[in-house]
């Protein structure tokens, strides 16, 4: 009987404790001994054992004969040798090569626009798609785009052909990307049929860039031969697909696209966005900015209306410019009563719009009657202090307390104070505290601790303006250190320049409302490039994790990067802001107060605490926004304090979510580990309309807070449903691939490069505990014992 070679190989793999199939990949083997320094001692022991065992057998006399004793001696020595080998800790060092098949990525658009039919599909395109899908030219336009995509993939046997050479990954994507399960055997792949479907609630947007990034991240570190995006090109949310495609190209992954749909242009008029403050003050002028765009209505005139309920607050007539041009409409009004209200901006519809769902946008705004209370503390009357104090005093909507510590009469505001508040109750009456170049010795430890809790628990704001003498380095190691958004040491680190420097805005700074000195982005950039320069800044080590740096020094840097000049961060329920220069008053040169006043006005407005009607100082509730698309998740945050302004220690809190139709839902907010008193939850509303959330303090049922938001369906997938070949071609160009029509999908498959990745690796497998050595130790001893017993030597 002949034993098959495979069985022999498996037996040796078992005896040596090797993984099955390892020999097929091994290029080189080398035995090594970890404890080889003990080899000499083991040889001496083995030699002594030979003499000792032989001596013992010799003492037994001549019976049995040495023909019997010799094998027993050898068995003992074999067992001893196996034990010695174990003690040397043998290993097998293997060098092997593994081949990894390259992956191929298919991204199939499953958004709402792919559920559209194309009854007006041009004849030439209908014939192309008919050849690719197996449908007739007369009926191909009656099938949805997604149905045609499935038919295209099935007719071209994409999975069956690609699986012969590649590892195939398929994603369906809309608002996010989901992997499509595929059969893992060749037999099951033969009969597989693509049948991708829309996922309800997750198909209301097309995010090509986000889906492509998800695929690249999933396959990070693996060879990828290419990616193909099957879509109508209607990218409307998420990451920039051109930037992600360019990133894939740099990684050696060509990204190609294939377009499905009718490119015939549609008409639409839409409100792109509405920008308004969440919280405003009664009897102050409020601005609302609405942006609109259109396709196909150049020269037409439309009316844009701002309403609160049925009351019309503003009406503007707009003559539409060229297609796709963004036009802005500005409304102004003065709220006369406090409360939370829902406002609606509407643009009059035009004939033949593809959808009217995007002609209206709503937002929630809260008007408060309480004046903002600001406390400004400064030691010396430096120029920054003088001009900023005068600017704040001109704003009649503020109650302003000002302490100049070096003056005989320190009170310089319109709110009388003689000293920094000695207790938390008096301090917590303010909304914003501004600290200038004030020495640490001006405050007691308890006052600094109260100032920390003023931000962290009260939910107020701290604004710090650095100075050459004290701020911020003297506050290292104090309770105030963690509140500030930058890391600094106990010694001053001034940045002095002979030539004036201008602020360099970070990407976050360019988007921040604080640094918008002009409404137009290009004009804003020009203003920042021409502002008067400065000569001094306070050097700090870096920004804290979670802080946002808005501006940096243009030329000076340390190991962490450019020195920050302006930074902000959330801290507990409040916010802190630091400016590491003290010469913004220079911006008044030749232009007066224009830029100086606007900058500081926007700083104070941004730092205004979110104290709104229905909330209290003990319970604060916020949604991360006031306007959402249907399908988006709403993040709720609640801050719960007891009567002494201490965080409530509880595992959870309960809120009630109420829709405008009266339907309610209970929401459980979970406590945040490491942040007592902070509770968060996420909810996903299932219908459009206005929502109001109410949370009640578990420690005090009379303390409650409310927040409101609006959920809208913007019909993104209906705004521009035609095939956007230009976008798909740009994505393919950025990704180093090609744009294909449906009848050329086989060309894409042939163009893929099949270069398997060869991975050489080295591993060591321990042999001291393998079955082979255990057998060589146990079996000889057992046989020797049996023989001795039979020969009467026991």
């Amino acid at each position: 009987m002949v034993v098959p070679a495979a069985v022999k190989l498996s037996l040796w793999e078992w005896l040596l404790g090797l993984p099955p199939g390892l020999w097929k990949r091994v290029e080189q083997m080398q035995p090594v001994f970890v404890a080889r320094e003990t080899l000499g001692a083991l040889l001496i022991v083995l030699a002594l054992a030979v003499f000792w065992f032989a001596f013992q057998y010799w003492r037994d006399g001549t019976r049995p004969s040495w023909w019997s004793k010799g094998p027993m001696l050898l068995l003992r020595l074999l067992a001893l040798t196996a034990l010695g080998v174990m003690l040397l800790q043998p290993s097998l060092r293997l060098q092997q090569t593994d081949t990894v098949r390259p992956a191929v990525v298919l991204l199939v658009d499953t958004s709402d626009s792919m559920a559209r039919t194309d009854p007006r599909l041009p004849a030439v395109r209908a014939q192309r798609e008919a050849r690719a899908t197996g449908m007739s030219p007369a009926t191909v336009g009656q099938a949805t785009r997604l149905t045609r995509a499935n038919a295209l993939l099935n007719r071209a046997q994409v999975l069956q052909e690609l699986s012969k050479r590649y590892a195939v990954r398929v994603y369906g994507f809309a608002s996010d990307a989901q992997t499509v399960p595929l059969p893992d055997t060749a037999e099951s792949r033969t009969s597989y049929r693509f049948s991708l479907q829309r996922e309800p609630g997750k198909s209301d947007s097309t995010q090509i860039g986000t889906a492509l990034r998800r695929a690249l991240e999933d396959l990070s570190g693996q060879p990828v031969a290419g990616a193909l995006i099957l879509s109508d090109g209607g990218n409307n949310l998420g990451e920039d697909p051109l930037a992600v495609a360019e990133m894939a190209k740099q990684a050696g992954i060509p990204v190609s696209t294939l377009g499905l749909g009718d490119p015939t242009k549609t008409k639409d008029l839409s409100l792109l966005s509405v920008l308004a403050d969440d919280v405003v003050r009664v009897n102050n002028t409020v601005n609302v900015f609405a942006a609109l765009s259109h396709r196909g209505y150049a020269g037409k005139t439309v009316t844009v209306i701002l309403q609160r309920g049925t009351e019309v607050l503003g009406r503007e007539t707009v003559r539409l410019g060229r297609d796709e041009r963004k036009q802005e409409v500005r409304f102004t009004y003065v709220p006369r009563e406090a409360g939370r209200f829902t406002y609606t901006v509407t643009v009059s519809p035009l004939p033949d719009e593809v959808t009217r769902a995007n002609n209206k946008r709503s937002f929630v705004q809260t008007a408060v009657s309480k004046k903002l209370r600001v406390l400004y503390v400064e030691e010396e009357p430096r120029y920054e202090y003088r001009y900023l104090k005068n600017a704040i005093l001109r704003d009649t909507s503020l109650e302003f307390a000002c302490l100049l510590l070096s003056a005989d009469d320190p009170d310089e505001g319109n709110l009388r104070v003689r000293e920094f508040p000695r207790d938390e109750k008096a301090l917590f009456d303010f909304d914003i505290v501004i600290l200038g170049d004030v020495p640490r010795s001006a405050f007691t430890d308890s006052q600094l601790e109260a100032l920390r809790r003023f931000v962290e628990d009260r939910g107020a704001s701290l604004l710090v303006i650095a100075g050459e003498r004290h701020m911020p380095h003297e506050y290292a190691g104090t309770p105030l250190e963690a509140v500030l958004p930058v890391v600094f040491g106990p010694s001053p680190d001034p940045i002095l320049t002979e030539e004036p420097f201008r602020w360099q805005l970070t990407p976050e700074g360019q988007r921040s409302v604080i640094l918008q000195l002009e409404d137009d982005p290009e004009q804003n950039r020009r203003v920042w490039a021409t502002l008067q320069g400065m000569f001094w800044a306070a050097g700090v080590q870096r920004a804290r994790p979670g802080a946002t740096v808005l501006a940096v020094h243009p030329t000076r840097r340390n190991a962490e990067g450019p020195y920050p000049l302006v930074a902000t961060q959330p801290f507990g329920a409040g916010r802190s802001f630091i400016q590491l220069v003290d010469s913004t008053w220079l911006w008044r040169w030749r232009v007066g107060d224009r830029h100086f006043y606007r900058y500081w006005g926007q700083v104070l407005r941004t730092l205004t605490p979110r104290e709104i009607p229905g909330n209290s100082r003990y319970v604060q509730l916020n949604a991360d926004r006031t306007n959402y698309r249907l399908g988006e998740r709403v993040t709720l945050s609640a801050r719960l304090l007891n009567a002494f302004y201490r965080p409530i220690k509880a595992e959870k809190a309960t809120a009630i979510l109420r829709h405008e139709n009266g339907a309610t839902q209970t929401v459980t907010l979970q406590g945040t580990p490491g942040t007592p008193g902070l509770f968060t939850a996420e909810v996903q509303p299932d219908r459009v309309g206005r929502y109001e959330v109410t949370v009640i303090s578990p420690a005090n049922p009379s303390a409650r807070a409310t927040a409101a938001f609006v959920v809208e369906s913007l019909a993104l997938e209906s705004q521009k449903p035609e095939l956007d070949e230009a976008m798909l071609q740009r994505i393919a160009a950025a990704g180093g691939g090609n744009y294909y029509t449906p009848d050329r999908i086989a060309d894409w498959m042939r163009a893929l490069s099949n270069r398997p990745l060869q991975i050489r690796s080295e591993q060591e497998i321990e042999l001291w505990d393998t079955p082979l050595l255990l057998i060589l130790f146990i079996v000889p001893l057992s046989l020797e014992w049996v023989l001795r017993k039979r020969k009467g030597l026991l």
Side-chain angles (χ1 to χ4, degrees):
M1 177 180 176
V2 179
V3 180
V7 175
K8 294 180 181 178
L9 187 60
S10 300
L11 177 60
W12 276 108
E13 288 175 342
W14 177 79
L15 287 173
L16 293 177
L18 302 178
L22 180 67
W23 297 112
K24 299 178 182 179
R25 305 190 301 271
V26 172
E27 293 182 339
Q28 185 177 351
M29 291 186 301
Q30 179 184 359
V32 293
F33 295 92
V34 177
R36 57 181 177 272
E37 65 276 1
T38 63
L39 179 60
L42 287 174
L43 290 176
I44 294 174
V45 171
L46 185 61
L48 293 175
V50 171
F51 287 109
W52 175 254
F53 293 153
F55 175 72
Q56 292 297 322
Y57 279 119
W58 176 78
R59 287 180 60 188
D60 289 335
T62 59
R63 299 185 61 87
S65 68
W66 280 100
W67 290 105
S68 299
K69 293 179 180 179
M72 289 188 285
L73 176 62
L74 291 176
L75 288 173
R76 278 198 182 188
L77 292 177
L78 179 60
L80 184 62
T81 302
L83 179 61
V85 172
M86 291 182 195
L87 294 175
L88 288 173
Q89 300 180 42
S91 297
L92 195 60
R93 182 174 294 164
L94 306 176
Q95 293 182 354
Q96 63 187 67
T97 300
D98 294 306
T99 300
V100 180
R101 292 203 306 171
V104 167
V105 178
L106 289 174
L107 292 162
V108 183
D109 188 347
T110 59
S111 63
D112 285 343
S113 64
M114 293 294 286
R116 296 178 65 92
T117 59
D118 294 303
R120 296 183 296 171
L121 190 66
V124 174
R125 292 180 177 273
Q127 290 174 0
R128 287 178 181 171
E129 291 204 22
R131 289 195 301 269
T133 60
M135 302 178 182
S136 69
T139 61
V140 68
Q142 299 173 11
T144 67
R145 297 171 182 175
L146 188 54
T147 299
R148 283 141 51 193
N150 285 321
L152 168 66
L153 296 173
N154 291 327
R155 183 174 177 80
Q157 294 190 324
V158 170
L159 178 61
Q160 292 81 358
E161 292 299 321
L162 291 179
S163 297
K164 296 176 182 178
R165 298 184 296 164
Y166 307 101
V168 183
R169 296 288 291 268
V170 180
Y171 295 83
F173 74 92
S175 298
D176 59 5
Q178 300 292 333
T179 55
V180 177
L182 298 175
D184 54 3
T185 64
E187 182 179 356
S188 56
R189 283 195 292 265
T190 303
S191 59
Y192 179 80
R193 306 286 291 175
F194 283 96
S195 58
L196 282 83
Q197 302 291 332
R198 289 186 303 138
E199 188 172 355
K202 296 184 178 181
S203 56
D204 59 345
S205 66
T206 301
Q207 302 188 31
I208 297 176
T210 303
L212 181 56
R213 179 178 287 276
R214 160 73 190 281
L216 296 178
E217 290 177 349
D218 286 352
L219 295 169
S220 177
Q222 303 179 42
V224 181
L228 180 67
I229 301 170
L230 283 77
S231 174
D232 54 22
N235 187 74
N236 45 42
L237 275 182
E239 293 193 61
D240 180 6
L242 301 181
V244 182
E246 175 69 27
M247 182 180 68
K249 177 183 176 181
Q250 293 175 359
I253 304 172
V255 178
S256 297
T257 55
L258 187 150
L260 289 165
D262 185 354
T264 304
K265 298 295 183 182
T266 57
K267 293 183 176 182
D268 187 46
L269 172 66
S270 66
L271 277 169
L272 299 177
S273 62
V274 174
L275 179 63
D277 290 332
D278 294 343
V279 180
V280 297
R281 299 195 177 269
V282 172
N283 297 325
N284 280 13
T285 300
V286 176
N287 294 312
V288 176
F289 299 91
L292 55 89
S293 181
H294 77 93
R295 298 191 316 277
Y297 297 110
K300 298 287 185 181
T301 300
V302 295
T303 301
V304 187
I305 299 173
L306 172 65
Q307 294 175 274
R308 190 181 78 182
T310 58
E311 178 186 1
V312 176
L313 301 178
R315 186 188 304 268
E316 298 289 339
T317 300
V318 179
R319 184 177 179 83
L320 299 177
R322 64 180 183 274
D323 282 12
E324 307 286 355
R325 177 190 172 192
K326 180 180 176 180
Q327 295 178 259
E328 192 170 74
V329 181
R330 178 182 178 183
F331 297 98
T332 60
Y333 66 97
V334 178
R336 300 300 182 187
E337 59 179 317
R340 182 185 289 121
F341 306 98
T342 301
Y343 296 82
T344 303
V345 178
T346 308
V347 59
S348 55
L350 293 173
D352 300 324
E353 283 194 69
V354 67
T355 180
R356 296 186 177 184
N358 53 10
N359 288 37
K360 181 171 68 173
R361 300 293 298 267
S362 298
F363 63 95
V364 176
Q365 191 174 73
T366 301
V368 295
S369 56
K370 173 183 175 292
K371 287 188 174 183
L372 189 68
R373 293 169 64 91
V374 179
L375 171 61
Y376 189 179
V377 185
E378 184 66 86
E379 184 187 33
E380 299 287 346
R382 53 180 177 164
Y383 284 111
E384 192 83 340
Y385 163 79
R386 296 176 186 178
Y387 287 109
L388 180 54
K389 179 197 70 173
N390 292 336
I392 297 176
L393 282 172
R394 291 184 183 182
D395 190 340
T396 58
S397 67
L398 303 178
E399 290 185 349
F400 182 45
C402 187
L403 286 174
L404 185 62
L405 301 180
S406 63
D408 294 334
D409 183 6
D411 179 14
E412 295 198 346
N414 58 26
L415 184 65
R416 306 298 296 179
V417 293
R418 304 296 300 176
E419 61 182 359
F420 191 84
R422 292 181 175 273
D423 56 57
E424 290 183 350
K425 185 178 184 303
L427 178 62
F428 283 21
D429 281 338
F430 289 96
D431 300 296
I432 299 175
V433 170
I434 305 174
L435 292 184
D437 196 18
V438 183
R440 162 66 180 87
S441 58
F443 303 102
T444 65
D445 291 343
S446 61
Q447 285 176 322
L448 290 179
E449 183 62 39
L451 195 52
R452 174 185 174 128
R453 295 194 57 242
F454 171 75
V455 179
E456 185 175 20
D457 297 331
R458 158 75 168 81
S461 297
L462 174 65
L463 192 165
V464 171
I465 306 172
E468 298 185 33
R469 299 177 60 189
H470 310 290
M471 183 64 74
H473 62 274
E474 287 189 7
Y475 293 83
T478 71
L480 212 58
E481 180 180 12
V483 181
L484 300 182
V486 291
V487 178
F488 50 90
S491 301
D493 183 20
I495 303 171
L496 298 171
T497 58
E498 294 182 358
E499 296 296 326
F501 65 85
R502 296 186 178 93
W503 296 9
Q504 179 178 315
L505 273 57
T506 64
E508 294 77 13
Q510 294 172 11
R511 295 189 295 266
S512 173
V513 175
I514 292 176
L515 302 185
Q516 300 304 306
L517 301 184
E518 292 289 348
D519 295 331
D520 180 74
E522 186 58 38
Q523 292 181 10
N524 188 57
R525 281 192 289 270
R526 284 199 294 268
V527 167
W528 281 103
T530 57
L531 285 175
Q532 188 73 2
M534 303 175 184
F535 297 87
W536 175 89
V540 296
Q541 297 172 14
R542 62 183 182 277
R544 291 190 184 279
T548 301
V549 178
L550 303 181
V552 296
H553 199 286
T555 59
R556 298 295 181 86
R557 57 191 299 126
N558 60 16
E560 302 290 339
Y563 281 104
L565 297 180
V566 177
T568 182
Q569 75 168 0
F571 187 78
R575 178 168 290 277
S576 66
F577 178 96
I578 190 167
Q579 177 184 286
L580 294 162
V581 296
D582 63 351
S583 304
T584 59
W585 59 274
L586 292 172
W587 295 345
R588 303 176 68 256
W589 187 61
R590 290 187 176 180
V591 295
D593 296 327
R594 178 179 178 182
H595 301 319
F596 180 80
Y597 276 28
R598 177 160 179 168
Y599 166 73
W600 283 110
Q602 290 170 168
V603 170
L604 292 177
R605 186 176 68 178
T606 302
L607 295 179
T608 300
R610 295 173 59 88
E611 290 190 27
I612 56 180
N615 281 12
S616 71
R617 292 186 177 179
Y618 308 110
V619 183
Q620 300 169 4
L621 176 65
N622 294 310
D624 55 336
R625 302 205 306 272
T626 62
N627 189 281
Y628 300 86
R629 289 187 306 108
L630 185 63
E632 288 186 319
R633 301 187 70 84
V634 180
T635 300
L636 301 175
S637 301
R639 189 79 176 179
L640 306 181
L641 308 177
N642 60 23
F644 301 99
Y645 294 101
R646 301 292 179 183
I648 289 177
K649 295 181 180 179
E651 293 183 358
K652 58 185 178 181
T654 302
I656 303 297
L657 178 65
R658 184 181 300 275
H659 187 259
E660 61 185 12
N661 66 3
T664 61
Q665 174 186 346
T666 300
V667 178
T668 300
L669 293 91
Q670 299 293 337
T672 303
T675 310
L678 180 62
F679 301 82
T680 61
E682 282 192 350
V683 294
Q684 186 171 5
D686 59 358
R687 67 192 75 181
V688 299
R690 184 179 187 273
Y691 288 81
E692 187 168 285
V693 192
T694 302
V695 64
I696 300 175
S697 171
N700 181 7
S702 63
R704 61 179 59 202
T706 59
F709 57 87
V710 172
V711 176
E712 298 177 304
S713 177
L714 302 183
L716 292 175
E717 291 294 290
S718 300
Q719 292 183 19
K720 193 177 179 181
E722 61 266 25
L723 169 63
D724 192 344
E725 282 188 306
M727 170 58 76
L728 293 175
Q729 289 168 353
R730 290 198 299 271
I731 294 173
N738 295 290
Y739 172 72
Y740 295 93
T741 53
D743 57 334
R744 294 184 55 216
I745 190 170
D747 294 342
W748 170 74
M749 290 192 288
R750 284 192 292 269
L752 292 171
S753 174
N754 184 17
R755 292 196 295 268
L757 179 64
Q758 303 289 331
I759 301 177
R760 286 182 167 81
S761 61
E762 185 177 283
Q763 69 177 123
E764 285 191 8
I765 298 177
E766 294 182 342
L767 301 178
W768 67 269
D769 58 349
T770 59
L772 178 61
L773 288 178
L774 291 176
I775 290 172
L776 291 177
F777 178 70
I778 296 173
V779 172
L781 285 181
S782 301
L783 288 176
E784 193 265 352
W785 183 86
V786 171
L787 290 175
R788 292 184 67 198
K789 185 174 180 64
R790 293 187 61 183
K791 297 298 182 179
L793 296 178
L794 292 179

